[in-house]
Amino acid sequence: MSQEKASPVNESWSRFSGAAAFAFAGVAGYVDAYALIQFQVYASFMSGNTTRGGVEAASGRFAVAALSLLAIVCFVLGAFIGVTLLHSLNRRAGRTVALIATGLLAAQAVLDAVSPLAWLSVALLCVSMGALNATITQIGGQAVNIGYVSGGLHKLAEHLALAWLRLPVDAAEGPHDTHLRRAVLIGGLWAVFLAGAFLGTLAQYYCPRWVLAFPIATLIVAVIFPARGSHTA
């Protein structure tokens, strides 16, 4: 099982991608919960939107199905923008894309306070999460996706099985790089995503006016204050 090599454009970002990935995973879970409660679509979980779109279309609820399909299109657009910028800009590209995602969340917060429009809100949220998902795709030698829970859980099971069989990691980065360690990493990302969804739900019930303040602040902190010992280009 060969591992993908990190893109050179993201080398400076990847030096602290572990901490940022956990922060971003929490934000993705939080925003997913917000979008689901407010608009009955997911901002990161495109498998759910695909299934819901098919079910609603088959049931004759075409307006609801269209909103799910809009979420998918906007998520793809956000990922396209993110990947394009990551391969076109300098070594600060990761931060730039994360700030774009933050700006889109801020725009949604303003829209939510002024005059909520479901289609525009879904577009802002899904473009934001699509871009954010593009920022960090690897931690060390392990490929990750901060918003793709099903794929992450599959990788978790795969590493646990290979650890049980006592097989080494292909192209390991050192004696510390084991299947069990990678399983813990992926499990941690899943747990943070779950915690984000939990907090996002509570926030909508107890502080609805400030519900998006937490993910916005989290992204700003993750971008401005890299992990100790990292180097920013």
Side-chain angles (χ1 to χ4, degrees):
M1 297 181 301
S2 60
Q3 302 294 339
E4 297 178 4
K5 185 177 180 181
S7 172
V9 75
N10 267 330
E11 284 178 358
S12 64
W13 181 263
S14 67
R15 289 191 179 95
F16 60 99
S17 62
F22 280 92
F24 292 176
V27 167
Y30 188 107
V31 175
D32 236 13
Y34 169 79
L36 180 61
I37 294 172
Q38 292 290 334
F39 310 107
Q40 292 73 56
V41 299
Y42 298 95
S44 293
F45 180 41
M46 294 303 115
S47 296
N49 287 331
T50 300
T51 301
R52 182 174 176 81
V55 169
E56 298 296 351
S59 302
R61 294 186 286 269
F62 298 110
V64 179
L67 200 60
S68 294
L69 295 178
L70 173 65
I72 295 169
V73 171
C74 290
F75 183 88
V76 172
L77 175 61
F80 175 87
I81 293 171
V83 172
T84 300
L85 291 176
L86 287 169
H87 288 81
S88 302
L89 301 179
N90 58 26
R91 296 174 71 189
R92 291 184 182 271
R95 293 178 179 81
T96 300
V97 175
L99 286 174
I100 290 173
T102 306
L104 291 170
L105 288 183
Q108 169 54 25
V110 173
L111 180 65
D112 198 25
V114 177
S115 178
L117 296 172
W119 64 270
L120 182 54
S121 293
V122 168
L124 289 171
L125 292 169
C126 293
V127 172
S128 174
M129 291 300 99
L132 192 66
N133 268 265
T135 55
I136 298 175
T137 58
Q138 194 154 333
I139 300 176
Q142 177 62 51
V144 297
N145 189 315
I146 61 174
Y148 182 33
V149 172
S150 298
L153 292 177
H154 179 271
K155 279 292 182 185
L156 170 64
E158 182 179 276
H159 283 304
L160 287 175
L162 295 174
W164 175 263
L165 295 171
R166 299 179 182 274
L167 295 176
V169 173
D170 290 345
E173 298 190 328
H176 67 281
D177 189 8
T178 64
H179 286 294
L180 185 58
R181 187 183 182 91
R182 293 193 180 196
V184 170
L185 168 65
I186 296 171
L189 289 172
W190 170 82
V192 171
F193 188 98
L194 176 64
F198 180 83
L199 293 174
T201 303
L202 290 181
Q204 290 186 81
Y205 290 129
Y206 294 105
C207 52
R209 292 187 178 182
W210 301 96
V211 64
L212 289 177
F214 178 76
I216 291 170
T218 300
L219 290 179
I220 291 173
V221 170
V223 170
I224 295 178
F225 300 103
R228 183 181 301 177
S230 66
H231 169 75
T232 54

